[in-house]
Amino acid sequence: MFNKTDGVALPRHVGIIMDGNGRWAQHRGRARTNGHTEGLKNARRIVEAASRRGIRYLTLFVFSTENWKRAAQEVEFIMSLVKQHLTRELDFYRENHIRVRHTGDTDGLAADILSEIKQALGDTQDFDGMHVILALNYGGRNAIVRAARRFLLQGGATAREAAAALDEDGITQNMDNPDVPEPDLIIRTAGEFRTSNFLLWEAAYAEYFITDKFWPDFSTEDLDAALAAYAARERRFGAMTR
Ligand code: IPE
Ligand code: IPE
Ligand code: MG
C-alpha cells in the first residue's frame, strides 16, 4: 500500500472516469441500474482508500453532459442514487474529514439535486481532509465555455478589449473550482482509451492509467497499482528529459 510515508511521488489530484457499470451488470445478467448501485458502493470504498493514502483532491466523473442521451429510466435512477448518497452520507464524510465539492453545469440539474449538493457543500466545507469533487452534469467543453463567459462578464470593457485580455490564466481562474490544482493522474476503468470530455482543460499534462476492470470491480489494490504506475512515470511538461 502506498501512503504519505512511502516517499514515492503521490499525485496531489486524481481524477477517475468510473466507467463500466452497465457492462459489469450485463455480464452478470442483471439490469444496468444494478451496476450503478454497485458502482456507487465502490466509489465510497475508493474515496476512503484515496483519503487514507493522503491524496488531497479526488474528482469523480459521476454523470456527463452527454449522459442525458441515455434512457430516461437510467438517467432518473442515477440521479436518485446521487441524491440518496448526498442525503445519507454526511457521517461518512465527517468520519473521513472529507470536503464535498461539485463541478459541472448547474443549469440542467433538477432543483432537488441542486439543493442536496448545496447542503453537502455547506455541511462539509470546514472539513480539512481530502476534497471529493463530484463531476455531475459535467462536460469539459461546457466547463471551458462557462469559464470563458465568466471571464468576459467580469470587466466593463468593450468586447474587443475583453477578447484581447483573455488568456490561459483567465480561463483557469474562472473554472468552477479555481483553487483545485490540475489533476496529476487520471484513471479510467473499463478499458476505453478516450477522455469522454473529462477535464479537458485541466488534464493537459495529466498522466493516464487505464485498466480493463469494470468500475464496480476496481479495488483498492487496483488503486495502488495506478499510484505505483504514476510514481514510475517521468513527467516532462514539454521540457527536455534530464
Ligand atoms: C459509468 O458506467 C457510469 C456512467 C456513465 C453514469 P456506464 O453506465 O457507462 O457503463 P458501461 O460503459 O455502459 O458499461
Ligand atoms: C464517461 O463514461 C462518463 C462517466 C463515467 C460519468 P461514458 O460511458 O459516458 O463514456 P463513453 O460514452 O463510453 O465515451
Ligand atoms: Mg460507459
Side-chain angles (χ1 to χ4, degrees):
M1 180 178 121
F2 288 86
N3 60 40
K4 328 172 213 213
T5 58
D6 282 325
V8 296
L10 189 72
R12 199 155 49 133
H13 180 181
V14 176
I16 309 186
I17 303 173
M18 308 183 293
D19 198 16
N21 291 347
R23 278 165 282 175
W24 182 90
Q26 277 158 352
H27 281 212
R28 283 165 178 74
R30 302 187 198 169
R32 287 178 57 85
T33 46
N34 186 252
H36 296 307
T37 305
E38 292 305 314
L40 177 62
K41 282 189 201 158
N42 199 41
R44 204 176 182 282
R45 282 191 286 270
I46 297 299
V47 163
E48 198 164 14
S51 151
R52 290 239 170 93
R53 281 151 183 73
I55 289 161
R56 295 297 304 158
Y57 300 88
L58 180 69
T59 299
L60 298 176
F61 203 0
V62 177
F63 191 88
S64 77
T65 46
E66 288 73 40
N67 287 148
W68 299 104
K69 296 175 192 165
R70 297 184 179 202
Q73 182 228 13
E74 180 168 338
V75 171
E76 275 163 32
F77 188 86
I78 294 169
M79 290 298 164
S80 70
L81 269 185
V82 171
K83 205 175 130 187
Q84 266 179 35
H85 173 82
L86 290 171
T87 30
R88 289 184 192 163
E89 295 292 357
L90 183 58
D91 284 346
F92 168 75
Y93 288 122
R94 187 182 291 116
E95 278 158 27
N96 292 285
H97 308 273
I98 286 165
R99 186 169 163 195
V100 182
R101 316 279 299 267
H102 172 250
T103 184
D105 201 341
T106 51
D107 285 352
L109 282 173
D112 57 346
I113 295 268
L114 281 176
S115 81
E116 292 302 341
I117 291 174
K118 209 173 148 204
Q119 182 85 32
L121 263 55
D123 288 346
T124 64
Q125 68 182 354
D126 295 327
F127 296 164
D128 59 0
M130 186 174 78
H131 297 226
V132 170
I133 302 121
L134 302 174
L136 184 67
N137 196 23
Y138 177 85
R141 289 181 173 179
N142 169 281
I144 296 165
V145 169
R146 288 187 296 102
R149 280 194 194 135
R150 281 187 200 119
F151 176 91
L152 294 170
L153 288 171
Q154 269 167 9
T158 63
R160 187 176 294 274
E161 282 165 351
L166 180 59
D167 59 8
E168 292 188 12
D169 276 350
I171 299 285
T172 300
Q173 285 157 18
N174 284 284
M175 299 304 277
D176 289 334
N177 298 300
D179 61 301
V180 174
E182 290 182 1
D184 305 292
L185 170 66
I186 293 192
I187 297 170
R188 182 166 189 148
T189 58
E192 240 70 72
F193 284 69
R194 54 177 171 257
T195 70
S196 299
N197 207 9
F198 188 49
L199 302 180
L200 295 184
W201 182 264
E202 300 90 331
Y205 273 98
E207 299 291 327
Y208 281 79
F209 180 89
I210 293 160
T211 167
D212 283 337
K213 288 264 186 92
F214 295 136
W215 172 249
D217 287 332
F218 184 84
S219 64
T220 54
E221 287 77 21
D222 295 317
L223 175 67
D224 286 335
L227 295 177
Y230 172 82
R233 302 267 175 96
E234 186 194 0
R235 301 182 77 188
R236 287 192 290 277
F237 299 97
M240 283 190 302
T241 182
R242 277 169 284 138

